Each structure stands twice: as structure tokens, then as C-alpha cells.
Amino acid sequence: MSDILVQPVLRSPEIDAGRLLHRIRELARIGLDDSTGGITREGFSAADRRAQAYLMGQAREAGLAPAVDAAGNVLIRRSSSDGHSTDRPAILMGSHLDTVVNGGRLDGAYGVLAALEVLQACAEAGVESRYDLVAAAFANEEGALFPQPFWGSMALAGRLADLPREPLDHRGRPLRDALRAAGGDLDALGSAVWPHGSVAAYLELHIEQGPVLERAGHSIGIVEAITGRSLLTIQVRGSAGHSGTTPMEGRHDALAAAARVVLAAEEISRGQGLCRVATVGRVDPHPNTPNTIAGAVRMTVDLRDTDAGRLSAAERALRTALQRIASRTGTEIDVVADTRSAPVAADRRLRAAIAHSADELRLSHMPLPSGAGHDAQIVADIAPIAMIFVPSIGGLSHVPEEDTKPADLVGGAQVLLRTVLRAAATERI
Ligand SMILES: [Zn+2]
């Protein structure tokens, strides 16, 4: 059995830096709000469809054959060297084209355009591959309009039971129609599922969306694991009352209790180090008026770690803290909803292949966790996965200022290309 690390790179396809950067600029015009400089390209919106059309047009111009599956994913397959499609397993690479509201131009889009560039470079150089190379733009990763994030990758990975049957957007409009407009078909969703064994490896190139690489001065990040997440929705119930006439003694102030929950969550991560990060991102006090003691508060706590054991320990510690705060403040505190996603480890051999590729290109690299969720964590259900990160200037993402130096964008694509070539030449990934 051959080994992924020692496979020589037989031919030398090259990333066309000018072409890649030009496409990034072109795509960034779709969904652009001139007043803010931000991009709003929510999944299954008209802007998202225009981005999809742009990608498919570029693929066709490159002599490649793009297709849209029933879930609305764009798939561009380069089959065997004679151009005929086969039932060989694929090396899949990609990301997503949709954005959050008023987001940046690189989150997702960069990984998709780099995957197209790698595919095109391989086609132009006539690279022989043991595997079909496939570039993917997964549908609705962000879930900004239709609140079903990871929609496309979940369908591809066969998680149909976890998807709603008739998904609706925030305003109650059916996904069914928007999906049809994008070339998909809700009734044929099963046809979008890729069976186990059909993906030999999945590689996702993405901006870091955080400050770690920039601070460390490295140009490539090799993701060790994608963080797991516990999102708890918490209801605090106290007693509302007049803020002027109710003595401090004997109050059951739900917002004062909620403030202690905020500090407890912070303490669990920053103080006790039980999980990597803990965040209270939403606090909704009721009635939320200046002269009434809050009678109830609904709030969220978001706990994240790349280790499942640590994540559940942090959640247990939080629940214990909630009981303590409830008894001290004379309130009732309940966890009314929870959403959990397990951490996903990146494949060890693919990580080593990325490191090897970066070394050859003399690009400095470091391992790091991914604090954000990515399609890769879903595709991990059916394939070994790995992710390559490039630095985000100022660590900014999901904002109009989101950016990465051109040299880093090109370097990331070069690492992706070399890693794909290594994997493509390996008998068993
Ligand atoms: Zn993304």
C-alpha cells in the first residue's frame, strides 16, 4: 500500500493567481451593498442564484461540466482523464457561496473558487488521477434566510432525517419553491445523497475567521478539529414589579439573575478553563421597560470545544451553576432548548499531506482548531476530512471588512492543489 506522504507529484499543474483573484473580485460584486460594502447573498435568495450562475458559467468556460443536485448544491466533476464519468470515488473539495446578511466576500466563496481553480489547473495540465476530482458549492451553509444551515452538505451526507420535510424561511415562505428556482427538487432530495465510500477525501479551504494565524505570523492553518457546540436556551423566571415601590429586599429580579448567568458562563471558560469559549449572545428581558423589575429573561449560552468530554463537562458545570443562581436569587431557571453538535477531528494523514505541501511551498503553518462550523464537519459523516485555513486580516469575518492578503489567498490555493495531487496519487487515502 502506498503512502500519501511519499507520493511524488507527477505533473505540475499551477494555480493561475490572476484568474483566481479576478474571480474572487467578480463574485464579490454579487449581492454587494454599495452603502455598507457588505455582501448579502443569503442561501436560496436571488443573489445566491446569481452567484451559482456565475460559478457554473466559469466552469463551463473552463470546459468543465457543472450540475445542480436536488438539494441545490453545485457540483463540478472532472472525471477520468478521458473525460468520461466513472463510479470511482471522488476527492471532493469546496465550501459555500451563500453569506450572512451584510457579510464578507471570502467566507465560503474563496473555498469554492479555489476548488474550481484546482480543478481547472488539473484539467489544463492533463493530470491523471485515481479519483474523480469534484468541486462543490454547498447550498445554504449559513442558513441566513432559510434557518436550515448546512442544508446542502447534510443532504449530500445523507442526513435527510435531520432536515425538515417542508422547510420554511423566516417569513414562512417554503424552501420548496426557492429550491426549484435554484435547480433543485425537494421531492427528489434522496438523489442528492452520496453513499459511504463515494468520497475518498474531502478538503475545504477557508479563511480562518479569527486572529490566530495573523497573530502567530503563519500563512497556513491546518485544522486539527472542528469545534463541537452546545447551544442552550435558558428561561429565567422571577417576579415583575414596580422599580420604585418594590424594596430591594425580597425582589426576584430575573435580569439580575440573568447577569449572574452571564458571569457564570464566562467563568466556566475563562476562569475554570472547562471549555475553549463560552458566550451569552442573546438576552431578552421581559417586559424590558425602565421602571419595571424584569419578571422573565430568555437567554442563550453557547459553549464550544473540540473535545466532546470537555464540552459535556462544561455543560454540566453550567447547569450546576444555574441551580445555584436560582436558589440564591429566588428565581426559577430552566434550560428550555438545547442544540448540540459533536466535535469532528480532521484526518491525520490528510493533515500531514497539507503540512508537507505547505513545506514544499515554503509557507509557514501551524495546527489550530476551527471555532466556527463548516460543511466539512457534515461531510465527515461519510469521508475523511481536512481543512486549510488562511489568515483573516484583523481576525474579522461575517462583516464587510472581512479580508485576506492576496498572497495568502494564492498560497492557500496552492496548498490545496498540492494536497489534492498527493491524495489523487495515493492508492488508499
Ligand atoms: Zn464559511
Side-chain angles (χ1 to χ4, degrees):
M1 182 176 52
S2 58
D3 190 87
I4 195 165
L5 287 179
V6 297
Q7 286 297 330
V9 175
L10 298 173
R11 307 283 283 267
S12 55
E14 292 293 339
I15 294 295
D16 183 332
R19 186 167 62 191
L20 173 64
L21 296 173
H22 175 73
R23 283 177 178 155
I24 289 172
R25 283 194 299 273
E26 293 264 302
L27 189 57
R29 298 224 283 260
I30 303 176
L32 175 68
D33 177 340
D34 287 319
S35 62
T36 65
I39 293 169
T40 299
R41 213 163 50 217
E42 300 153 298
F44 296 121
S45 65
D48 189 36
R49 285 200 300 278
R50 289 203 301 279
Q52 189 189 42
Y54 174 77
L55 174 70
M56 293 176 73
Q58 292 296 302
R60 282 194 203 97
E61 266 181 38
L64 299 162
V68 180
D69 72 9
N73 298 313
V74 178
L75 299 168
I76 309 165
R77 179 179 288 261
R78 179 176 180 251
S79 306
S80 55
S81 44
D82 59 7
H84 290 102
S85 122
T86 67
D87 55 2
R88 299 182 307 176
I91 294 173
L92 188 62
M93 52 189 160
S95 197
H96 57 97
L97 291 176
D98 65 314
T99 70
V100 295
V101 174
N102 204 35
R105 66 194 185 110
L106 295 175
D107 177 0
Y110 167 52
V112 172
L113 292 175
L116 171 63
E117 178 58 37
V118 167
L119 211 58
Q120 189 170 355
C122 288
E124 287 168 352
V127 169
E128 303 272 349
S129 167
R130 292 173 180 273
Y131 306 91
D132 283 3
L133 302 182
V134 181
F138 289 112
N140 200 38
E141 190 265 0
E142 302 281 7
L145 181 61
F146 287 91
Q148 295 89 32
F150 304 112
W151 167 267
S153 49
M154 284 176 74
L156 182 134
R159 283 200 200 175
L160 300 187
D162 296 337
L163 296 174
R165 282 189 174 275
E166 288 291 343
L168 303 174
D169 77 2
H170 289 302
R171 291 193 229 154
R173 293 173 301 193
L175 177 74
R176 171 177 292 278
D177 300 344
L179 180 57
R180 189 179 302 118
D185 180 357
L186 192 62
D187 295 324
L189 213 52
S191 68
V193 176
W194 288 35
H196 277 265
S198 60
V199 183
Y202 174 70
L203 292 161
E204 184 163 351
L205 174 62
H206 206 281
I207 55 166
E208 182 202 330
Q209 304 181 278
V212 175
L213 289 173
E214 186 181 70
R215 283 184 192 165
H218 291 299
S219 33
I220 295 292
I222 304 172
V223 172
E224 295 176 292
I226 301 169
T227 193
R229 179 185 192 212
S230 296
L231 177 64
L232 307 180
T233 302
I234 292 163
Q235 179 80 34
V236 185
R237 273 187 221 87
S239 309
H242 195 295
S243 65
T245 59
T246 313
M248 293 306 288
E249 196 59 41
R251 285 191 183 193
H252 305 288
D253 185 331
L255 189 52
R260 289 173 170 82
V261 174
V262 174
L263 295 177
E266 187 187 44
E267 175 64 16
I268 280 166
S269 177
R270 191 200 290 265
Q272 297 174 260
L274 293 176
C275 61
R276 200 171 57 79
V277 287
T279 308
V280 174
R282 171 177 287 170
V283 178
D284 294 322
H286 188 82
N288 203 19
T289 52
N291 54 2
T292 307
I293 300 162
V297 175
R298 204 175 171 87
M299 61 197 302
T300 56
V301 181
D302 177 328
L303 306 171
R304 300 195 191 205
D305 202 274
T306 50
D307 182 282
R310 279 167 50 85
L311 194 57
S312 50
E315 188 181 325
R316 280 197 303 277
L318 179 71
R319 285 174 184 268
T320 305
L322 296 180
Q323 288 171 358
R324 199 178 58 237
I325 293 165
S327 73
R328 279 196 195 155
T329 56
T331 57
E332 284 175 34
I333 305 182
D334 297 307
V335 175
V336 291
D338 48 46
T339 314
R340 290 189 193 80
S341 63
V344 170
D347 182 76
R348 186 183 53 79
R349 297 172 77 223
L350 289 174
R351 278 190 282 141
I354 294 167
H356 222 62
S357 301
D359 285 339
E360 281 176 350
L361 292 158
R362 292 184 161 65
L363 295 172
S364 68
H365 55 87
M366 66 177 285
L368 80 178
S370 170
H374 294 289
D375 290 306
Q377 77 197 51
I378 309 293
V379 182
D381 283 4
I382 57 166
I385 62 110
M387 290 193 75
I388 303 162
F389 277 177
V390 295
S392 292
I393 296 173
L396 296 173
S397 185
H398 283 191
V399 292
E401 295 76 21
E402 176 183 279
D403 208 359
T404 295
K405 288 180 192 159
D408 287 331
L409 293 172
V410 174
Q414 288 170 331
V415 171
L416 176 65
L417 171 61
R418 285 195 165 249
T419 306
V420 165
L421 292 174
R422 288 214 141 70
T426 304
E427 194 175 315
R428 206 171 143 264
I429 298 171

